[in-house]
Amino acid sequence: MSIVKINAITVPEGAGTTLEERFQARKHAIDAQPGFEGFQLLRPVKGEERYFVVTRWADQESYDAWWQGQGQGAHAQKDGDAPRKPVSDKAELMEFEVVLDSTEQ
């Protein structure tokens, strides 16, 4: 059964565009990661101020393997790159198991 990780990201007013641009620049960065099934970046529109990054994985082991390698590396400063200020003020990871899925046959 798949698992879903939702990262709820709080950004300062006016910083949403920067967050969206950064995600757009890396849109397919983990597509080939074993066990990765997809991701969505959700923009708040009513009653919520946080962005949600929703990722779906085949299992916890696949997520852990990505996070221990490429996941943490994606958040680190690269050699030779200028320091980049984080866009978010706060991030909270929520974790779920998929119990029902209408896309499955």
Side-chain angles (χ1 to χ4, degrees), residues 3 8 13 19-20 26 28-31 45 49 59-61 64 69 71 74 76-77 85 92 97 100 104:
I3 63 167
E13 188 173 331
L19 180 76
E20 292 175 25
R26 298 183 40 78
H28 296 288
I30 65 172
D31 286 359
V45 292
E49 297 179 0
D59 50 49
Q60 184 66 41
E61 293 76 20
D64 290 343
Q77 181 180 333
K85 182 181 175 190
E92 174 188 2
E97 291 180 340
L100 295 172
E104 293 180 348

Side-chain angles (χ1 to χ4, degrees), residues 13 35 39 44 46 50 54-55 67 70 73 83 97 101 103 105:
E13 188 173 331
F39 113 95
K46 185 177 181 181
R50 299 174 295 176
V54 180
T55 59
W67 180 248
Q70 186 180 355
E97 291 180 340
D101 186 344
T103 63
Q105 301 301 325

Side-chain angles (χ1 to χ4, degrees), residues 12-99:
E13 188 173 331
T17 300
T18 302
L19 180 76
E20 292 175 25
E21 289 170 352
R22 288 187 183 178
F23 272 92
Q24 179 64 38
R26 298 183 40 78
K27 182 177 178 181
H28 296 288
I30 65 172
D31 286 359
Q33 181 69 32
F36 177 74
E37 297 178 348
F39 113 95
Q40 294 175 308
L41 175 62
L42 307 179
R43 177 191 302 134
V45 292
K46 185 177 181 181
E48 179 62 60
E49 297 179 0
R50 299 174 295 176
Y51 276 79
F52 288 87
V53 180
V54 180
T55 59
R56 185 174 173 132
W57 297 87
D59 50 49
Q60 184 66 41
E61 293 76 20
S62 297
Y63 172 80
D64 290 343
W66 168 78
W67 180 248
Q68 292 169 6
Q70 186 180 355
Q72 288 184 8
H75 291 86
Q77 181 180 333
K78 310 292 186 275
D79 290 339
D81 285 355
R84 195 166 70 166
K85 182 181 175 190
V87 177
S88 66
D89 289 333
K90 178 182 174 185
E92 174 188 2
L93 182 64
M94 297 178 279
E95 303 177 87
F96 302 89
E97 291 180 340
V98 176
V99 178

Side-chain angles (χ1 to χ4, degrees), residues 4-21:
V4 173
K5 305 291 183 172
I6 302 174
N7 195 3
I9 303 174
T10 303
V11 298
E13 188 173 331
T17 300
T18 302
L19 180 76
E20 292 175 25
E21 289 170 352

